[in-house]
Amino acid sequence: MRRAALAVTTLALLTASAGVADAAKKKVQVPNRYDGTWSIEVVTLDGPCDRAYRYGVQIRRGEASYAGGEFNINGRVSQTGAVRAVISRGNDAADVVGRLGRSGTGNGTWNTTGLIACSGRWNAERRG
């Protein structure tokens, strides 16, 4: 369950939605400037969750995906890089906030909202 909470948190870091532009009176999806492969490090600072994890996350058109695919993701990365998300699996959930930068790095904080109380920080680095 502790691993699930951290994995949930990690995925939340890079969850995003695609921007929409009005071109010739049609709505068109615009690629998000944060698209690409990201390496995410999640570190627990408080609580019984495992100490640290690293995950690979792919962002396409502002939407994040993770090969594990076992989590529900509801979050966004704004065009300025602000990250806000909730990741859940069963009764476990984590709130994630932070920022991705144009330079290819990012960071923020996370905390669980389920029965297990954990919190920590995350760091991101663009890989591709």
Side-chain angles (χ1 to χ4, degrees):
M1 187 181 296
R2 287 183 280 172
R3 285 182 183 234
L6 279 178
V8 164
T9 301
T10 301
L11 295 177
L13 303 178
L14 297 176
T15 303
S17 68
V20 177
D22 187 5
K25 302 289 181 184
K26 292 182 181 179
K27 291 187 177 185
V28 179
Q29 286 189 343
V30 177
N32 188 294
R33 69 180 59 172
Y34 304 102
D35 285 1
T37 302
W38 292 79
S39 175
I40 310 300
E41 175 190 41
V42 176
V43 178
T44 299
L45 299 176
D46 188 42
C49 296
D50 291 336
R51 175 74 177 130
Y53 285 98
R54 185 171 296 275
Y55 298 97
V57 174
Q58 181 70 35
I59 298 180
R60 288 191 181 104
R61 293 190 175 164
E63 295 185 23
S65 63
Y66 172 67
E70 302 171 3
F71 306 97
N72 295 316
I73 302 169
N74 182 7
R76 300 188 182 281
V77 175
S78 74
Q79 290 297 326
T80 61
V83 174
R84 288 197 167 281
V86 175
I87 303 300
S88 61
R89 179 180 181 189
N91 293 328
D92 295 325
D95 291 324
V96 178
V97 295
R99 181 168 300 281
L100 297 179
R102 290 183 184 183
S103 65
T105 62
N107 60 59
T109 60
W110 61 271
N111 63 68
T112 60
T113 58
L115 297 174
I116 298 173
C118 295
S119 62
R121 64 177 169 78
W122 60 268
N123 299 297
E125 182 177 308
R126 188 187 301 261
R127 295 292 183 177

